[in-house]
Amino acid sequence: VVEHGNAIGTTLGFPTANIRLNSAKQLPASGVYSVVAQVNGVEYKALANIGTNPTVGNDHLSLEVHLLDFQADLYDQPLTISFLHFLREEKKFVSLDELKKQIAEDVSKAIYIKKRRIVIPTTQSLLNLKSNTMKNTVQRYCFFTYPPNNLT
């Protein structure tokens, strides 16, 4: 369910839907992702951040989603997020202007990924990698949906 936040994303020109988290156990690793957001049965390209938003000093885990080409009120509405591709790790920026520039780059990458139809590896193909970083890779690149189907 979308909750009210501090409107920092809106101030930066990238309004976000703040999603109430049921459990961090059902989420991929912290970071920025290219995602698909579903609102009332309609899918939208989107960008998501999972983390603590260190630039603005939050201390709790949150999920924020910026829907591309979407201009409606989402407060108190259910939103389903499908994580498609890990873009980068969450980091603390020196200023909000620096953060704004990075979000614009993230949006461009997410659009590129969607246009190019980049294939995301399946869980099984990642499990076959047999590398030391396998767990981290699986967390970052597998298809996740929030909320999980068994909780909706």
Side-chain angles (χ1 to χ4, degrees):
V1 175
V2 178
E3 299 181 322
H4 289 270
N6 296 326
I8 294 169
T10 300
T11 302
L12 297 175
F14 300 97
T16 59
N18 300 288
I19 310 299
R20 184 178 312 138
L21 298 176
N22 293 333
S23 170
K25 294 178 185 177
Q26 299 295 331
L27 293 172
S30 290
V32 178
Y33 292 83
S34 173
V35 303
V36 172
Q38 189 177 65
V39 181
N40 297 322
V42 180
E43 291 186 346
Y44 297 89
K45 289 180 277 188
L47 194 67
N49 181 73
I50 300 170
T52 60
N53 305 323
T55 303
V56 296
N58 286 347
D59 61 355
H60 62 280
L61 187 67
S62 66
L63 170 59
E64 295 182 277
V65 183
H66 171 65
L67 284 71
L68 308 180
D69 301 321
F70 187 84
Q71 299 292 326
D73 182 353
L74 291 172
Y75 291 121
D76 300 318
Q77 292 189 45
L79 188 66
T80 300
I81 310 301
S82 298
F83 292 81
L84 301 178
H85 192 79
F86 178 81
L87 297 177
R88 65 175 175 83
E89 292 183 4
E90 184 179 52
K91 70 180 236 181
K92 183 174 183 171
F93 294 91
V94 176
S95 69
L96 290 179
D97 284 337
E98 193 178 309
L99 173 60
K100 182 177 179 176
K101 287 177 189 173
Q102 182 62 57
I103 294 171
E105 287 180 29
D106 296 338
V107 167
S108 294
K109 287 178 188 174
I111 291 170
Y112 177 82
I113 288 168
K114 188 74 172 169
K115 282 183 180 177
R116 293 292 188 180
R117 296 185 177 95
I118 292 174
V119 176
I120 308 304
T122 65
T123 304
Q124 189 57 48
S125 66
L126 287 170
L127 290 174
N128 292 335
L129 292 175
K130 308 273 190 228
S131 73
N132 291 337
T133 60
M134 181 175 64
K135 180 180 178 187
N136 197 29
T137 303
V138 169
Q139 284 183 323
R140 288 185 174 162
Y141 293 99
C142 290
F143 183 84
F144 287 84
T145 299
Y146 189 86
N149 292 334
N150 61 346
L151 295 179
T152 57

